[in-house]
Amino acid sequence: MAVLRVLVYTALVVLAIGLQVGPFSELAIHGVAPDLLLLVVVAVGLVHGPERAALIGFVGGLALDLAPPADHVAGRWALALVVVGFLVGLVRDDARQGPLGIVGAVAAASFVGTSIFALSGLILDEPGVTVGGVLEVIPIAVLYDTALALLTVPLLMALGRRLEPDRDEWVRAA
Amino acid sequence: MRLSSPRDDRRPRAVAVALAMAAVTIITVDATAGDDSPVDPLRSAGGEVFGPVESGLDEATRPIEAVADQVTTVDGLRDDNARLQAENDRLRAELETAGIDRARIDALAEMTRFGDQHGVDLVTAQVIAMGPAQSFSQAVTIDAGTADGVESDMTVLNDQGLVGRVLRADLHTATVLLIVDASSVVGGRLGTDLELGMLRGDGELSDVGRLTLTTMDPTVEPATGDIVVTWGSRGGTPYVAGVPIGRIESVESSPRDQSSSARVVPYVDFSALDLVGVVIGASPPGDRTERAAPGEGR
């Protein structure tokens, strides 16, 4: 089961990054594309807990930092998604109570993730990153991610539960 | 089954902190290394892996994108449409006014030409009011008065032909009696044989309005299609000579009365009067008959 899980999540991460920088960048609203990888990390956090979510966040984030159109300092998305995965994993018991909890978790995760990424850009004095631009981009990103999460996150969570049914049960029992 | 213990709770945090530290380390290394970053080989490896993935996904989703493009550009199309419509309206308005302006310029030019040809001075004026039909008097008000040199009994014409005469002139306006008024009598001259006659209006302003021509010499029978110009009065008032009035439409002869009358279609469209000219200076004497009918052939 563990090998299958690694394979499935590797494929998911690659697919999410590919879609995010490819087709979904065409559907950008005011230049803001949805963070599909972030949704994957959130789903992992909700199903598998903080440790694995942080791990997937790190690996996926680093891949996103290195995937072709990216030209920023590597590690920024990795850092952001580690934090996102860890935090979502911590609050998963509350967040999984109902659809509203999931939506709230996604919105918070999106806010935290895009904020960390943007702020790290500000701190590193990356070209093109301005406070005004950041303040404009973050709300759009949060809304877009949340809207897309309504479709994707429940599916990803269902997939995650199938990959690891036992764990889900003992979490419920605890 | 495991029970969660403090140790279990701490483990994810340690992992997360370690990963975050790793990320920060990568950031630091990459940010400080400048052009010669050790991350660069990783970046090119990322390109090797994700390049094919991205191009494959791009190929696969291109048909969807084509649809999505149309969806996302509806707003843009709406904007374009509104903008183009506004521009269209503006240009159309410009074009329409241009037509009116052009007509007015043509009218002015024609009147000036007539004035030059006949040696008369014209004051141009605009029709600003038209008497109502229920007054049964076909008169209009123009925006030139005694201040402009307009006085009563002066000839009023436009680029088409004779309009009427000034009935009364005020300081800045004047009332013009149209030749189609039932009380109007104009001396006319036939264009071909110079015979004289009197033209009376029938009080009808519209296209069906006709003038009735009665020749002075009852034996003369006007020819259909012949044109009629003004005969001319002493001193050019009320009518200067040689202004085209209209064209003979039909002739009725009455052998018993030994007279004939003709129906004359006026050249001027009285329901669409705009710019008119008032003849304020009479033509020089002895010059009139030579210069008959400037509007011939209209």
Side-chain angles (χ1 to χ4, degrees):
Chain A
M1 214 58 181
V3 177
L4 179 66
R5 206 162 54 220
V6 169
L7 283 177
V8 167
Y9 278 116
T10 307
L12 265 182
V13 165
V14 171
L15 186 68
I17 292 173
L19 286 173
Q20 180 171 329
V21 300
F24 272 83
S25 61
E26 308 266 331
L27 300 176
I29 297 173
H30 286 271
V32 179
D35 303 297
L36 297 179
L37 181 63
L38 183 130
L39 299 181
V40 172
V41 173
V42 169
V44 171
L46 288 174
V47 175
H48 301 295
E51 192 183 327
R52 289 180 190 170
L55 190 63
I56 289 207
F58 179 79
V59 175
L62 198 58
L64 185 58
D65 283 325
L66 300 175
D71 195 32
H72 53 258
V73 172
R76 285 172 61 200
W77 269 120
L79 177 64
L81 293 180
V82 164
V83 176
V84 164
F86 178 68
L87 292 180
V88 170
L90 284 188
V91 300
R92 64 177 167 154
D93 287 342
D94 295 324
R96 282 194 303 192
Q97 296 299 322
L100 222 61
I102 294 174
V103 168
V106 171
S110 171
F111 178 75
V112 170
T114 43
S115 295
I116 291 177
F117 181 76
L119 286 175
S120 64
L122 280 179
I123 291 166
L124 292 168
D125 207 15
E126 290 259 44
V129 184
T130 61
V131 178
V134 168
L135 291 180
E136 195 184 308
V137 159
I138 289 178
I140 302 174
V142 170
L143 283 176
Y144 205 163
D145 291 349
T146 311
L148 212 65
L150 296 174
L151 295 167
T152 51
V153 171
L155 285 175
L156 289 168
M157 286 174 71
L159 179 70
R161 282 200 201 96
R162 298 202 82 178
L163 290 170
E164 198 175 22
D166 314 338
R167 180 146 175 144
D168 207 32
E169 266 164 35
W170 74 251
V171 165
R172 255 184 226 147
Chain B
M1 287 283 165
R2 291 184 298 171
L3 288 174
S4 57
S5 65
R7 181 172 290 277
D8 282 336
D9 274 350
R10 269 205 296 275
R11 204 175 101 94
R13 188 171 304 168
V15 170
V17 167
L19 290 172
M21 296 281 279
V24 171
T25 310
I26 294 169
I27 292 173
T28 315
V29 168
D30 194 24
T32 51
D35 286 345
D36 199 19
S37 171
V39 183
D40 280 347
L42 286 176
R43 217 184 275 281
S44 51
E48 300 284 318
V49 175
F50 283 101
V53 174
E54 284 166 20
S55 60
L57 282 171
D58 189 48
E59 286 290 319
T61 55
R62 195 157 288 167
I64 305 169
E65 272 170 39
V67 176
D69 268 356
Q70 287 176 349
V71 174
T72 52
T73 53
V74 166
D75 272 354
L77 286 176
R78 205 167 281 148
D79 286 352
D80 282 357
N81 192 22
R83 192 173 49 73
L84 290 173
Q85 228 155 32
E87 192 180 335
N88 195 20
D89 288 349
R90 187 176 59 75
L91 290 174
R92 183 169 295 161
E94 226 166 67
L95 189 66
E96 278 164 4
T97 5
I100 291 171
D101 288 346
R102 178 171 291 261
R104 292 172 65 110
I105 289 166
D106 288 350
L108 269 178
E110 182 67 27
M111 280 191 273
T112 311
R113 198 178 63 79
F114 178 82
D116 287 350
Q117 203 172 50
H118 285 245
V120 293
D121 295 328
L122 289 174
V123 165
T124 54
Q126 195 169 345
V127 172
I128 55 174
M130 211 166 246
Q134 62 265 38
S135 71
F136 298 107
S137 167
Q138 305 305 340
V140 297
T141 307
I142 60 173
D143 65 352
T146 50
D148 307 291
V150 175
E151 278 160 34
S152 57
D153 282 341
M154 282 179 167
T155 309
V156 181
L157 47 84
N158 72 359
D159 59 313
Q160 296 166 315
L162 184 67
V163 171
R165 65 183 163 94
V166 177
L167 208 55
R168 188 182 63 251
D170 303 317
L171 190 59
H172 293 296
T173 58
T175 307
V176 175
L177 184 75
L178 306 180
I179 54 169
V180 286
D181 187 84
S183 68
S184 163
V185 180
V186 184
R189 185 187 295 278
L190 289 172
T192 47
D193 52 14
L194 307 181
E195 286 292 337
L196 301 175
M198 301 306 271
L199 292 118
R200 291 181 173 78
D202 63 356
E204 183 62 58
L205 190 78
S206 63
D207 282 350
V208 297
R210 296 290 181 266
L211 303 168
T212 308
L213 171 70
T214 320
T215 50
M216 302 293 254
D217 181 352
T219 59
V220 170
E221 196 171 306
T224 304
D226 200 357
I227 65 150
V228 183
V229 302
T230 51
W231 170 358
S233 320
R234 177 191 295 272
T237 54
Y239 295 109
V240 293
V243 183
I245 302 172
R247 186 178 46 78
I248 294 173
E249 183 186 48
S250 62
V251 180
E252 283 170 33
S253 53
S254 153
R256 193 180 56 184
D257 294 347
Q258 290 207 316
S259 73
S260 59
S261 66
R263 282 160 63 76
V264 175
V265 188
Y267 285 130
V268 175
D269 182 0
F270 289 98
S271 55
L273 283 175
D274 183 20
L275 272 183
V276 296
V278 183
V279 179
I280 57 169
S283 55
D287 235 11
R288 292 168 191 163
T289 46
E290 291 172 30
R291 294 187 174 183
E296 196 165 5
R298 270 172 165 277

